[in-house]
Amino acid sequence: MNDFDFLYGTWDVANRRLTAPLSGGGAWEEFPGHSVIRPLFGGAGNIDEITFPTRGLRGVTLRLFDHETGQWAIHWSDSRTGRLDPPVTGGFTGDRGDFHGEDTLGGRPILVHFTWYRLGPDSARWEQEFSADGGRSWELNWTMDFTRTGAAFEGLGA
């Protein structure tokens, strides 16, 4: 249940995002972010607030560990909508975490895949992919490279 302990603390985040996912276009944009991640429930949850200073946007991720299923649910919201998106669920094998869910994009149903990579004490990577064909093909549309800027928070999750 402590799979995300590596993320506690403050991070600079280099974002690279496809401007129009699942449209056939290949234009990417890059922008900075700053993230603060705190534990909840003794490690069985955490909250991550990210600021995108050049975009005038904030986001929040709530991650919760389900003790019955042994899986994590990852929920996202941003300051544009104030709504929680449908969660992705999954877990880690070694230093890689895979999380899957369902959502909509432009009114059509899609599958969503998040991948987390633990890359050591001071770096991590997150990737997002979408599929519009039931998972037969996937399009990578957002990457975030995390670089630690401050010490991990200790003992805040109890």
Side-chain angles (χ1 to χ4, degrees):
M1 94 176 168
N2 297 94
D3 290 326
F4 283 102
D5 288 3
F6 73 98
L7 271 181
Y8 302 159
T10 57
W11 301 82
D12 282 335
V13 184
N15 292 272
R16 186 169 186 262
R17 187 175 74 106
L18 197 57
T19 59
L22 299 177
S23 69
W28 290 84
E29 61 181 340
E30 296 183 9
F31 52 95
H34 181 73
S35 188
V36 178
I37 303 163
R38 298 178 185 274
L40 300 170
F41 309 143
N46 59 73
I47 192 159
D48 171 355
E49 184 173 10
I50 189 165
T51 304
F52 303 106
T54 61
R55 300 176 59 84
L57 181 66
R58 290 177 176 264
V60 67
T61 302
L62 176 64
R63 300 177 190 91
L64 299 170
F65 184 77
D66 184 321
H67 294 277
E68 285 186 26
T69 66
Q71 293 194 325
W72 287 90
I74 302 175
H75 305 265
W76 166 259
S77 182
D78 66 49
S79 57
R80 289 176 303 177
T81 69
R83 290 187 312 264
L84 282 176
D85 287 349
V88 294
T89 58
F92 277 83
T93 301
D95 288 332
R96 178 186 166 127
D98 286 287
F99 307 88
H100 293 87
E102 298 177 5
D103 204 343
T104 59
L105 181 67
R108 67 179 168 166
I110 62 167
L111 298 178
V112 180
H113 176 219
F114 289 1
T115 308
W116 271 103
Y117 298 96
R118 292 187 285 222
L119 302 175
D122 297 324
S123 63
R125 182 177 176 93
W126 172 85
E127 297 177 349
Q128 175 179 270
E129 298 177 298
F130 290 163
S131 174
D133 61 10
R136 288 186 300 279
S137 64
W138 292 89
E139 177 184 77
L140 179 68
N141 62 63
W142 197 338
T143 65
M144 299 173 121
D145 290 305
F146 289 72
T147 304
R148 186 177 301 282
T149 61
F153 296 113
E154 299 293 334
L156 295 178

CSV table of all heavy atoms in Angstrom, one decimal, residues 94-114:
chain,number,residue,atom,x,y,z
A,94,GLY,N,7.4,-4.1,-9.4
A,94,GLY,CA,8.7,-3.5,-9.3
A,94,GLY,C,8.6,-2.0,-9.3
A,94,GLY,O,7.8,-1.4,-8.6
A,95,ASP,N,9.4,-1.3,-10.2
A,95,ASP,CA,9.4,0.1,-10.3
A,95,ASP,C,8.4,0.7,-11.3
A,95,ASP,O,8.5,1.8,-11.7
A,95,ASP,CB,10.8,0.6,-10.5
A,95,ASP,CG,11.7,0.5,-9.3
A,95,ASP,OD1,11.2,0.5,-8.2
A,95,ASP,OD2,12.9,0.3,-9.5
A,96,ARG,N,7.5,-0.2,-11.8
A,96,ARG,CA,6.6,0.3,-12.9
A,96,ARG,C,5.2,0.1,-12.4
A,96,ARG,O,4.8,-1.0,-11.9
A,96,ARG,CB,6.8,-0.5,-14.2
A,96,ARG,CG,5.8,-0.1,-15.2
A,96,ARG,CD,5.9,-1.0,-16.4
A,96,ARG,NE,4.8,-0.8,-17.3
A,96,ARG,CZ,4.9,-0.6,-18.6
A,96,ARG,NH1,6.0,-0.4,-19.2
A,96,ARG,NH2,3.8,-0.4,-19.3
A,97,GLY,N,4.4,1.1,-12.5
A,97,GLY,CA,2.9,1.0,-12.1
A,97,GLY,C,2.1,1.2,-13.4
A,97,GLY,O,2.3,2.1,-14.2
A,98,ASP,N,1.1,0.3,-13.5
A,98,ASP,CA,0.2,0.4,-14.7
A,98,ASP,C,-1.3,0.6,-14.1
A,98,ASP,O,-1.7,-0.2,-13.2
A,98,ASP,CB,0.3,-0.8,-15.5
A,98,ASP,CG,1.5,-0.8,-16.4
A,98,ASP,OD1,1.6,-0.1,-17.3
A,98,ASP,OD2,2.4,-1.6,-16.0
A,99,PHE,N,-2.0,1.5,-14.7
A,99,PHE,CA,-3.3,1.9,-14.2
A,99,PHE,C,-4.2,2.1,-15.5
A,99,PHE,O,-3.8,2.8,-16.4
A,99,PHE,CB,-3.3,3.2,-13.4
A,99,PHE,CG,-2.3,3.0,-12.3
A,99,PHE,CD1,-0.9,3.3,-12.5
A,99,PHE,CD2,-2.6,2.5,-11.0
A,99,PHE,CE1,0.0,3.2,-11.5
A,99,PHE,CE2,-1.7,2.4,-10.0
A,99,PHE,CZ,-0.4,2.7,-10.2
A,100,HIS,N,-5.4,1.5,-15.5
A,100,HIS,CA,-6.3,1.5,-16.6
A,100,HIS,C,-7.7,2.0,-16.2
A,100,HIS,O,-8.1,1.8,-15.1
A,100,HIS,CB,-6.4,0.1,-17.2
A,100,HIS,CG,-5.2,-0.4,-17.8
A,100,HIS,ND1,-4.2,-1.1,-17.1
A,100,HIS,CD2,-4.7,-0.3,-19.1
A,100,HIS,CE1,-3.2,-1.4,-17.9
A,100,HIS,NE2,-3.5,-0.9,-19.1
A,101,GLY,N,-8.4,2.6,-17.1
A,101,GLY,CA,-9.7,3.1,-16.9
A,101,GLY,C,-10.4,3.4,-18.2
A,101,GLY,O,-9.9,3.3,-19.3
A,102,GLU,N,-11.7,3.9,-18.0
A,102,GLU,CA,-12.5,4.3,-19.1
A,102,GLU,C,-12.9,5.8,-19.0
A,102,GLU,O,-13.1,6.2,-17.8
A,102,GLU,CB,-13.8,3.5,-19.2
A,102,GLU,CG,-13.5,2.0,-19.4
A,102,GLU,CD,-14.8,1.1,-19.4
A,102,GLU,OE1,-15.9,1.7,-19.3
A,102,GLU,OE2,-14.6,-0.1,-19.4
A,103,ASP,N,-13.0,6.5,-20.1
A,103,ASP,CA,-13.4,7.9,-20.1
A,103,ASP,C,-14.0,8.2,-21.4
A,103,ASP,O,-14.3,7.3,-22.2
A,103,ASP,CB,-12.1,8.8,-19.8
A,103,ASP,CG,-12.4,10.1,-19.2
A,103,ASP,OD1,-13.6,10.6,-19.3
A,103,ASP,OD2,-11.5,10.8,-18.7
A,104,THR,N,-14.3,9.5,-21.7
A,104,THR,CA,-14.7,9.9,-23.0
A,104,THR,C,-13.8,11.1,-23.4
A,104,THR,O,-13.3,11.8,-22.6
A,104,THR,CB,-16.2,10.4,-22.9
A,104,THR,OG1,-16.3,11.5,-22.0
A,104,THR,CG2,-17.1,9.3,-22.6
A,105,LEU,N,-13.7,11.2,-24.7
A,105,LEU,CA,-13.0,12.3,-25.3
A,105,LEU,C,-13.8,12.8,-26.5
A,105,LEU,O,-14.1,12.0,-27.4
A,105,LEU,CB,-11.6,11.9,-25.8
A,105,LEU,CG,-10.7,12.9,-26.4
A,105,LEU,CD1,-10.3,14.0,-25.4
A,105,LEU,CD2,-9.5,12.3,-27.0
A,106,GLY,N,-14.2,14.1,-26.5
A,106,GLY,CA,-15.1,14.6,-27.5
A,106,GLY,C,-16.4,13.8,-27.7
A,106,GLY,O,-16.9,13.6,-28.8
A,107,GLY,N,-16.9,13.3,-26.6
A,107,GLY,CA,-18.1,12.5,-26.6
A,107,GLY,C,-18.0,11.1,-27.0
A,107,GLY,O,-19.0,10.4,-26.9
A,108,ARG,N,-16.8,10.6,-27.3
A,108,ARG,CA,-16.7,9.2,-27.7
A,108,ARG,C,-16.0,8.4,-26.6
A,108,ARG,O,-15.1,9.0,-25.9
A,108,ARG,CB,-16.0,9.0,-29.0
A,108,ARG,CG,-14.6,9.4,-29.0
A,108,ARG,CD,-14.0,9.2,-30.4
A,108,ARG,NE,-12.7,9.8,-30.5
A,108,ARG,CZ,-11.8,9.6,-31.4
A,108,ARG,NH1,-12.0,8.7,-32.4
A,108,ARG,NH2,-10.6,10.2,-31.4
A,109,PRO,N,-16.3,7.2,-26.3
A,109,PRO,CA,-15.7,6.4,-25.3
A,109,PRO,C,-14.2,6.1,-25.6
A,109,PRO,O,-13.9,5.8,-26.8
A,109,PRO,CB,-16.5,5.2,-25.2
A,109,PRO,CG,-17.2,5.0,-26.4
A,109,PRO,CD,-17.4,6.4,-27.0
A,110,ILE,N,-13.4,6.2,-24.6
A,110,ILE,CA,-12.0,5.8,-24.8
A,110,ILE,C,-11.5,5.0,-23.6
A,110,ILE,O,-12.1,5.0,-22.6
A,110,ILE,CB,-11.0,7.0,-25.0
A,110,ILE,CG1,-11.1,7.9,-23.7
A,110,ILE,CG2,-11.4,7.8,-26.2
A,110,ILE,CD1,-10.0,9.0,-23.7
A,111,LEU,N,-10.4,4.3,-23.8
A,111,LEU,CA,-9.7,3.7,-22.7
A,111,LEU,C,-8.5,4.5,-22.4
A,111,LEU,O,-7.9,5.2,-23.2
A,111,LEU,CB,-9.2,2.3,-23.1
A,111,LEU,CG,-10.3,1.3,-23.4
A,111,LEU,CD1,-9.7,-0.1,-23.9
A,111,LEU,CD2,-11.2,1.1,-22.3
A,112,VAL,N,-8.1,4.5,-21.1
A,112,VAL,CA,-7.0,5.4,-20.6
A,112,VAL,C,-6.0,4.5,-19.9
A,112,VAL,O,-6.4,3.5,-19.2
A,112,VAL,CB,-7.5,6.4,-19.6
A,112,VAL,CG1,-6.4,7.3,-19.1
A,112,VAL,CG2,-8.6,7.3,-20.2
A,113,HIS,N,-4.7,4.7,-20.1
A,113,HIS,CA,-3.7,4.0,-19.5
A,113,HIS,C,-2.7,5.0,-18.9
A,113,HIS,O,-2.2,5.8,-19.7
A,113,HIS,CB,-3.0,3.0,-20.5
A,113,HIS,CG,-1.8,2.3,-19.9
A,113,HIS,ND1,-0.7,2.1,-20.7
A,113,HIS,CD2,-1.6,1.7,-18.7
A,113,HIS,CE1,0.2,1.4,-20.0
A,113,HIS,NE2,-0.4,1.1,-18.8
A,114,PHE,N,-2.4,4.9,-17.6
A,114,PHE,CA,-1.3,5.7,-17.0
A,114,PHE,C,-0.2,4.7,-16.7
A,114,PHE,O,-0.5,3.6,-16.2
A,114,PHE,CB,-1.7,6.2,-15.6
A,114,PHE,CG,-2.7,7.4,-15.6
A,114,PHE,CD1,-3.3,7.9,-16.8
A,114,PHE,CD2,-3.1,7.9,-14.4
A,114,PHE,CE1,-4.2,8.9,-16.8
A,114,PHE,CE2,-4.0,9.0,-14.4
A,114,PHE,CZ,-4.6,9.5,-15.5
